């Protein structure tokens, strides 16, 4: 049962479920008690200890959808003093093998549906356990009576590694961020306090558990607040509300693209008939968050805090709707111009709250105070880049108003340089998202024929809408905060926005394709009208690239 002192480890959070027969884990096949989930974790912890080779790093890879086995193995690793590497099932071939081998996994937990991904891979020293098979059941059977603490690879403490979770791989191979039990237990407890989580809550986990969003912001606060967890194997916008009602879910986490998917579903008269009380996530955007609350009656709380733990932004009651909040406790956050090293000036807004000095106000968010960053596994170069000059550089673009509130403006990788002017993709996206016919928007750079970048936008249209180039141009001209360098030179009309396994826009794929793609692409010269990009236009563009020795850039 719940202890009176704050737990110092995730192992303590898992163990305190023992003897508690309230609902703990809900999934498509039924409901397990909190005691049963601890029992299953203890059995796997004992198996893990016996299977781990002597002297090996105590790491296991988990290549699973959101099935009960995933939290069982997270709990097992915590109890055994081991670490889980979340393996992304959208990775393929050498990239997938690299993720498993880079994190020194000696065990890999997977399921029959993912076995084809492993076919032909060279994984020396890695033992694969396949859940849902007779062999797997036989392996576990001798450990059915195990209890928390019976078997460990080393007594788990606050400094014990628990997660090796991969961050974005948009610029090279993904980096495995180290997360210790002490930091994760504290994060779960802090969110449980912030959102007043109680045993009556049910946390709906529909984001993938191989990503930090679902584990740190959904599973852990449920553990800390003694709440139940409901699993969805994979996110489904059409099944979202039915799942919420079936499981009695009160809380969920999201990313911005998932919110767009939910808003794109057909409205129903019972959209507000559900037990949800809030959603917590990132990158929904103020307009989509307001539309979500209006339609479903659920407030979305935007947060900021990467898996690495290097910086956090906390929302307060006086935070403006479009802002994320101010610096978290202990953080000294600044918005820095990475070219000059100087602090960016405060944001200037018009009377409608639109940013007027984006070119000067937007910079990289830097933590000049203490940092909870615990490093990357076997990647000293990435660690050094993240912590240069004694500061923690987040890799994210922000701007700050005169009162100190911080506003997210995208990733540094998503910055464009047009005619020597720096632009943030997220700022342009927020403006284009006002267009009534747009269901989803992504902005990214394609190379200019001579130097720098040009703006390209991918648009997914609302049901029944047809792209009207004149109407789109008129919309752009009417936006007072759309700077002269911001209007897209190229517009790609996509049937659906490409997304990653974590339901984020797949910007790498969009950038690589550029304007050489199967979808309709429109373009215009400065001051001209949008017109379709023809084969002749493409040939002229490629000739211009060749003339300026930039032929390698369109597919970057």
């Amino acid at each position: 049962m719940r202890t009176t002192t704050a737990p110092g480890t995730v192992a303590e959070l898992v163990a305190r479920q023992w003897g508690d027969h309230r609902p703990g884990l809900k999934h498509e096949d039924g409901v397990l008690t909190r005691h049963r989930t601890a029992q299953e974790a203890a059995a796997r912890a004992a198996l893990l200890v016996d299977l781990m080779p002597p002297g090996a790093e105590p790491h296991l890879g988990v290549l699973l959808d959101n099935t009960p086995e995933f939290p069982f193995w997270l709990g097992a690793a915590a109890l055994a003093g081991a670490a889980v590497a979340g393996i992304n099932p959208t990775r393929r071939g050498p990239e997938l093998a690299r993720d498993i081998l880079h994190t020194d996994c000696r065990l890999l937990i997977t399921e029959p549906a993912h076995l084809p991904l492993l076919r032909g891979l060279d994984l020396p020293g890695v033992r694969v356990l396949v859940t849902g098979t007779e062999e797997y059941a036989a392996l576990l059977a001798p450990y059915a009576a195990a209890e928390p603490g019976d078997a460990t690879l080393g007594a788990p403490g606050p400094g014990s590694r628990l997660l090796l979770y991969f961050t974005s791989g948009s610029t090279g191979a993904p980096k495995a961020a180290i997360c210790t039990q002490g930091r994760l237990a504290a994060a779960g407890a802090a969110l449980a306090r912030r959102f007043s989580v109680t045993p009556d809550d049910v946390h709906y986990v529909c984001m993938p558990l191989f990503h930090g969003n679902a584990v740190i912001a959904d599973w852990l606060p449920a553990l800390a607040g003694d709440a139940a967890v409901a699993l969805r194997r994979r996110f489904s916008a059409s099944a979202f509300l039915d799942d919420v009602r079936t499981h009695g879910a009160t809380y969920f986490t999201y990313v911005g693209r998932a919110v767009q998917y939910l808003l794109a579903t057909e409205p129903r008269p019972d959209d507000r008939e559900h037990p949800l009380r809030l959603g917590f996530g990132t990158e929904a955007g103020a307009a989509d968050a307001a539309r979500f609350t209006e339609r479903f009656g659920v407030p979305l709380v935007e947060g900021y805090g990467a898996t690495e733990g290097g910086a956090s932004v906390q929302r307060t009651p006086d935070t403006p709707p479009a802002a994320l909040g101010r610096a978290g406790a202990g953080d000294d956050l600044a918005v820095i111009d990475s070219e000059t090293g100087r602090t960016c000036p405060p944001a200037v807004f018009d009377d409608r709250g639109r940013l007027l000095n984006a070119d000067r106000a937007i910079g990289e968010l830097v933590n000049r105070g203490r940092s909870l960053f615990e490093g990357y596994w076997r990647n000293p170069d990435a660690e050094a880049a993240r912590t240069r000059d004694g500061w923690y550089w987040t890799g994210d673009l922000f701007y700050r108003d005169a009162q100190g509130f911080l506003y997210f403006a995208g990733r540094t990788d998503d910055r464009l340089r047009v005619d020597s002017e720096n632009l943030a993709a997220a700022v342009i996206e927020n403006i284009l998202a006002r267009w009534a016919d747009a269901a989803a928007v992504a902005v990214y750079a394609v190379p200019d024929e001579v130097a720098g970048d040009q703006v390209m936008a991918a648009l997914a249209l609302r049901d029944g809408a047809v792209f009207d180039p004149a109407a789109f141009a008129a919309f752009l001209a009417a936006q007072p905060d759309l700077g002269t360098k911001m209007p897209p030179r190229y517009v790609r009309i996509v049937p659906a926005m490409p997304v990653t396994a974590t339901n984020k826009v797949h910007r790498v794929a969009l950038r690589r394709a550029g304007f050489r793609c199967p979808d309709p692409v429109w373009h215009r010269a400065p001051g001209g009208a949008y017109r379709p990009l023809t084969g002749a236009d493409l040939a002229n563009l490629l000739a211009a690239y060749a003339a300026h020795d930039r032929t390698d850039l369109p597919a970057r």
Side-chain angles (χ1 to χ4, degrees), residues 241-288:
L241 278 184
D242 290 338
D243 266 4
V244 163
R245 295 183 183 110
T246 296
H247 297 306
T250 58
Y251 170 102
F252 74 105
T253 58
Y254 63 84
V255 295
R257 185 65 187 123
V259 170
Q260 291 179 340
Y261 276 132
L262 291 167
L263 289 171
T265 59
E266 190 69 25
R268 296 176 0 191
D270 61 352
D271 276 344
R272 284 175 167 247
E273 296 175 11
H274 55 72
L276 281 176
R277 61 184 183 89
L278 70 102
F280 177 56
T282 61
E283 300 178 31
D288 280 348

Side-chain angles (χ1 to χ4, degrees), residues 20-312:
D20 187 343
H21 296 284
R22 291 172 297 178
L25 183 61
K26 301 184 176 189
H27 58 104
E28 59 189 12
D29 294 326
V31 180
L32 301 177
T33 65
R34 285 168 53 79
H35 174 79
R36 175 68 182 278
T37 58
Q39 191 176 40
E40 296 290 350
R44 285 156 182 78
L47 173 62
L48 170 61
V49 169
D50 281 355
L51 293 184
M52 189 63 65
E57 293 289 354
H59 298 172
L60 61 147
V62 178
L63 176 62
L64 295 169
D65 289 337
N66 287 1
T67 67
E69 288 288 348
F70 211 129
F72 291 164
W73 279 102
L74 287 171
L79 293 173
V84 166
I87 306 299
N88 183 342
T90 68
R91 302 271 281 173
R92 293 293 185 272
E95 291 184 340
L96 180 61
R98 179 263 173 199
D99 291 351
I100 297 166
L101 297 176
H102 171 71
T103 45
D104 295 313
C105 294
R106 303 305 297 271
L107 296 176
L108 178 65
I109 317 302
T110 191
E111 56 186 301
H114 291 323
L115 281 178
L117 301 179
L118 304 177
R119 195 168 294 137
L121 297 189
D122 185 19
L123 299 172
V126 180
R127 180 169 180 175
V128 179
L129 305 186
V130 186
T131 65
T133 63
E134 292 183 2
E135 179 184 5
Y136 181 74
L139 276 173
L140 273 174
Y143 305 96
E147 297 186 12
D150 279 358
T152 67
L153 295 162
S160 301
R161 291 189 300 272
L162 178 56
L163 298 181
L164 297 172
Y165 263 33
F166 288 104
T167 62
S168 169
S170 60
T171 55
K175 304 175 288 290
I178 298 170
C179 306
T180 61
Q181 291 214 28
R183 176 161 74 88
L184 292 170
L191 286 174
R193 288 192 301 270
R194 178 180 176 185
F195 296 127
S196 303
V197 179
T198 75
D200 294 326
D201 281 303
V202 177
H203 284 211
Y204 181 53
V205 180
C206 55
M207 297 291 100
L209 281 162
F210 66 76
H211 192 260
N213 173 298
V215 174
I216 298 173
D218 215 342
W219 181 68
L220 279 168
L223 275 183
D226 294 340
V229 167
L231 296 180
R232 174 77 190 183
R233 177 178 279 272
R234 294 180 183 176
F235 173 75
S236 169
S238 61
F240 180 84
L241 278 184
D242 290 338
D243 266 4
V244 163
R245 295 183 183 110
T246 296
H247 297 306
T250 58
Y251 170 102
F252 74 105
T253 58
Y254 63 84
V255 295
R257 185 65 187 123
V259 170
Q260 291 179 340
Y261 276 132
L262 291 167
L263 289 171
T265 59
E266 190 69 25
R268 296 176 0 191
D270 61 352
D271 276 344
R272 284 175 167 247
E273 296 175 11
H274 55 72
L276 281 176
R277 61 184 183 89
L278 70 102
F280 177 56
T282 61
E283 300 178 31
D288 280 348
R291 289 177 56 222
F292 190 92
T293 301
E294 180 181 359
R295 176 173 165 184
F296 297 106
V298 180
L300 297 185
V301 179
E302 284 279 298
Y304 177 82
T307 303
E308 293 98 318
S312 64

Side-chain angles (χ1 to χ4, degrees), residues 361-437:
I362 293 175
E364 185 170 350
L365 186 69
V366 174
N367 188 358
R368 302 177 299 189
R370 69 168 178 82
S371 168
L372 298 179
F373 178 54
E374 296 172 306
Y376 294 120
W377 182 253
R378 300 200 190 286
N379 200 334
D381 291 342
E383 278 190 35
R386 189 66 82 190
T387 57
R388 63 187 185 274
D389 302 324
W391 294 350
Y392 178 85
W393 297 74
T394 66
D396 290 321
L397 299 173
F398 273 76
Y399 52 97
R400 192 175 207 153
D401 67 19
Q403 288 71 47
F405 290 105
L406 291 158
Y407 300 71
F408 181 70
R411 298 282 302 166
T412 53
D413 299 337
D414 298 330
R415 176 155 247 171
L416 304 82
R417 191 165 180 85
V418 179
D419 295 341
S420 299
E421 183 175 319
N422 289 324
L423 306 175
V427 172
I428 305 173
E429 286 175 355
N430 289 338
I431 296 171
L432 300 189
R434 301 170 193 157
W435 190 42
D437 283 345

